Amino acid sequence: HLLLFLLFVGPFNCFASYSRATELFYSLNEGLPAGVLIGSLARDLRLPMASGQRPVAPQPPLSFTLASRGLGGQYVQLDNRSGELHTSDVEIDREALCVESSGVTVFGGAASVSSSSSPSSESCLLLLDVLVLPQEYFRLVKVKIAIRDVNDNAPRFPVPHIRLSVPENAPVNTRLAIEHAALDPDVGTNGVQTYRLRDNYGVFTLDVEENESGERTPYLIVMGALDRETREEYVTVIVAEDGGTPPLVGSATLTIAISDINDNCPQFSDSQLNVTLYGNSSLGTHLATVHAVDMDLGSNAQITYSYSQKVPQPSRDLFHLDESTGAITLSSKVDGDTPRLHRLIILGNGPGCIPAVITVLVTIIKVMTRPPEVVPRFIANEAEGVVYLKELEPMNTPIAFFTIKDPDEKYKVNCYLEGDGPFRLSPYKPYNNEYLLETTKPLDYETQQLYEISVVAWNSEGFHVNKIVKIQVLDDNDNSPVFSQQLIELSIEENNVPNAFLTKLHATDADSGERGQVSYFLGPDAPSYFSLDKSTGVLTVSTQLDREEKEKYRYTVKAVDSGFPPRESIATVTITVLDKNDNSPRFINKDFSFFVPENFPGFGEIGVISVTDADAGQNGWVALSVLNGSDIFVIDTGKGVLRAKVSLDREQQSSYVLWIEAVDGGDPALSSTAKITILLLDINDNPPLVLFPQSNMSYLLVLPSTLPGSPITEVYAVDKDTGMNAVIAYSIIGRRGPRPESFRIDPKTGNITLEESLMQNDYGLYRLLVKVSDHGYPEPLHSTVMVNLFVNDTVSNESYIESLLRKEPDISIEEKQPQISIEPTHKKMESASCMPTLVALSIISLGSIALVTGMGIYICLRKGKKHHRADENLEVQIPLNGRINLHMLEKKPMEISNI
């Protein structure tokens, strides 16, 4: 009962006060996304929680609930606590929600969401029932949401093609309604506003009329004169545009057909026609046909023919006129009383027109009662009145004799020839009334096969008689077949299917019968795998063609007729085999090896990778890339040059194995790979590295009791190079001490031994400057190290010794070339130093062994000469009072540090 009471009294007090309002009105645009605020029920109902007033006593929270989830409920989301109403995930489409036929239209307003005191009567409304709880604030709120239209639909014509018919005599300003008006689901200014034509041809325009219900109908207006005989129809495009911002348009094809009216009358091309009729002509003989033309169509162009009233009845009875076709035929016999001249006035009648007029003059040539006789005697072959002559017969070929006789023997009879053709009728002297029919030039069957001529005899009284002679030309094999093209250019992709169709040859022969039947044959220069059908001329290839094997074929074909003897003609066939990507790139070698000296400059040319592709064009274009090691090596795609981005160090890596991929430009692309081995040749770029002693400041205690020849210590060094570049020699290049010559060093092992017994005076600090040198080419590299020996029984004062070591020694340098072997024989030493060089260089320099071997021999010979000139004593005597600068000993200083 409470609900019924609220529904009854609600509409009468909804505007009295917002505190007791039971209806709320909102409006929003269609197509808004989810979450757009429509309105706050609590605020608009001015409930205590919305007004910001604090209640005197604690109140239960407000609750807002949709009374039912009807059609409108799916478009909104209601916050149960705050009473805020938002759009839901279901987009509001005004055109789907409210259709025009229901009389509901869009409620206009601003684009932003707003509330209104009342909706428009034409609004598209969503109706919601909201219950407000608890009991203290209970009410049923009617929420009405007006949906505003946006311009989201373009005008659309119901049919894509509109056809309109306009009579050709339509006056200017004639208005014709276009029934298929454009439709736009939008309303108001967003609906269809204007129409226009893309091309009006200068004779049409459009106007729009709006009826009482607001519907707009386009009208076509004629602006100029129309003539169907000049142009039957106009095709243009009609465009409908709405009033939205920006405006949307729709279009359809408009065909304007111009309908015919009877505005043209029949007309004859000539005003007079002359006809001759022989008096002995049979009934039904056709004299002539008159023909009038009416430019109109259909029934407006129907023409009937009739005699004018001026034509006398005898002429009407003698000649029949077909009223539909205009044909004039002989309908009665011609006798002696028939007039020789008849003037026939014929009318061409059209509906609603003044008749067209033509005059036909018929002249009748009377034939005498006893006409002259024409007696033929045929020389050429004749059968049943037909003379048969072969083509290409020479000119002046006789055909027949004609004897002309006058039965009355009282009139002079003359004779002449009627008809077209290369024939001549001439008197045959010395005889009277004898005439010879002969040719004036050779006949050609292909030009004309049958001739019909008349031998006409007439006397002085004007009586005529004629003898019709038919001459049939017989065909001879005088024409060779003719190809439609003398040069037949064809193309086919390689790898074709067997028996692939190439073309169909066509040759024509102007001769008739078997003489014109053409057969086709391949010339002797055609390859055996080409086939040519003898009857149809279809040219095929029986095998797969390979462009890489042969790209062009050129041979002859013959067309031979069936005459005797046969005649033939020749044409040339050229076939271009088109390339397909059927060949992978091919490397010249599957494995490439390059020898490169280390420290080769970055981006220097290591070698050239040669690759080919048998295909042509883009299919034969090859791109090279490095599959592995691309961070170090690059390859020039165009030239195939392999380069290293950085300088290579053999001591870090002595060889590289790369895989190079070659990809062609076909689709799909084909590829192949090759293995590249790069061997780094060693160069002498590393000086020996001294591992012991670890420092120039270290020293060793040597007891005075040490026996001569005893090992004292050693100098140990390594070289990162290989071969002769890593062969190390040791030598003492500077000495200081009480008797510095007491110690020697083995040039091969670096062992330092005591040479002589130590005396009482030999106590003290000995400093030996040792040079560690390799045998590299072209210039050996070396390092130096200071070996400190303290000759004494004990080390009682280390600080004193260290102070001596810190002082820069005064050592004079007098360097000798170190010797690897101390054998006195020069030949043995030369052999021992040369063999490792030759072996090492032979292994490394596989590609250029002769050059490298020669270089090694050259190095050995130079070393041998130096050894020969040097003293066998490998030690250098250094005066104790000499001074040296340790920092200037080396051309390439090498820092020695602890390891």
Side-chain angles (χ1 to χ4, degrees), residues 166-207:
V166 181
E168 62 176 325
N169 63 342
V172 176
N173 294 327
T174 297
R175 300 171 66 88
L176 298 165
I178 299 176
E179 298 297 333
H180 300 287
L183 304 176
D184 193 328
D186 297 325
V187 296
T189 56
N190 292 334
V192 177
Q193 299 295 317
T194 60
Y195 292 87
R196 67 176 185 274
L197 295 177
R198 286 190 183 169
D199 188 357
N200 57 21
Y201 298 98
V203 293
F204 300 106
T205 187
L206 286 180
D207 190 15

Side-chain angles (χ1 to χ4, degrees), residues 433-631:
N433 297 330
E434 294 286 343
Y435 293 87
L436 176 64
L437 179 64
E438 59 185 352
T439 61
T440 58
K441 65 178 182 179
L443 303 179
D444 187 1
Y445 175 85
E446 288 72 36
T447 302
Q448 188 169 345
Q449 295 84 37
L450 181 65
Y451 294 89
E452 187 172 322
I453 56 179
S454 297
V455 177
V456 181
W458 61 283
N459 61 11
S460 56
E461 294 295 318
F463 294 99
H464 294 72
V465 66
N466 63 338
K467 180 66 176 180
I468 297 176
V469 179
K470 293 182 179 180
I471 301 174
Q472 176 69 54
V473 182
L474 300 178
D475 187 29
D476 198 1
N477 192 28
D478 60 335
N479 290 278
S480 299
V482 178
F483 280 100
S484 57
Q485 293 176 284
Q486 287 298 313
L487 178 60
I488 304 166
E489 296 178 327
L490 307 174
S491 63
I492 184 175
E493 281 194 343
E494 62 177 331
N495 304 331
N496 55 282
V497 297
N499 300 317
F501 173 83
L502 294 175
T503 189
K504 184 175 181 180
L505 303 181
H506 180 66
T508 57
D509 193 316
D511 295 324
S512 62
E514 292 184 353
R515 291 174 292 273
Q517 293 180 357
V518 180
S519 300
Y520 302 91
F521 302 93
L522 290 172
D525 54 346
S528 60
Y529 39 84
F530 288 96
S531 302
L532 180 59
D533 189 279
K534 176 182 177 181
S535 302
T536 63
V538 173
L539 181 63
T540 58
V541 56
S542 60
T543 185
Q544 282 190 348
L545 300 180
D546 187 359
R547 189 204 65 82
E548 289 72 37
E549 179 180 336
K550 189 170 183 179
E551 185 175 3
K552 287 187 178 294
Y553 295 86
R554 184 182 181 93
Y555 53 86
T556 57
V557 291
K558 295 190 299 183
V560 183
D561 63 21
S562 301
F564 184 81
R567 300 175 71 96
E568 67 179 36
S569 62
I570 297 176
T572 301
V573 176
T574 62
I575 301 175
T576 301
V577 183
L578 304 179
D579 185 52
K580 290 182 69 175
N581 193 28
D582 58 343
N583 290 277
S584 301
R586 178 177 296 179
F587 291 93
I588 292 181
N589 300 315
K590 293 303 290 183
D591 296 320
F592 292 83
S593 297
F594 298 107
F595 297 89
V596 182
E598 65 172 332
N599 299 334
F600 194 68
F603 293 97
E605 181 177 324
I606 294 176
V608 177
I609 311 299
S610 298
V611 62
T612 60
D613 194 312
D615 293 323
Q618 185 174 351
N619 294 332
W621 180 85
V622 179
L624 298 174
S625 61
V626 181
L627 295 180
N628 61 324
S630 58
D631 54 337

Side-chain angles (χ1 to χ4, degrees), residues 104-174:
V104 181
T105 58
V106 172
F107 172 60
S112 61
V113 176
S114 63
S115 62
S116 174
S117 61
S118 62
S120 170
S121 61
E122 297 181 347
S123 298
C124 175
L125 299 178
L126 285 180
L127 302 179
L128 304 174
D129 291 339
V130 179
L131 295 177
V132 182
L133 297 174
Q135 185 91 16
E136 298 90 297
Y137 301 102
F138 173 78
R139 63 186 67 194
L140 176 63
V141 181
K142 295 286 187 178
V143 179
K144 296 181 180 180
I145 303 174
I147 308 303
R148 292 194 295 266
D149 182 45
V150 297
N151 191 28
D152 57 347
N153 291 280
R156 184 176 60 85
F157 286 90
V159 292
H161 299 280
I162 302 173
R163 187 172 184 86
L164 194 63
S165 179
V166 181
E168 62 176 325
N169 63 342
V172 176
N173 294 327
T174 297

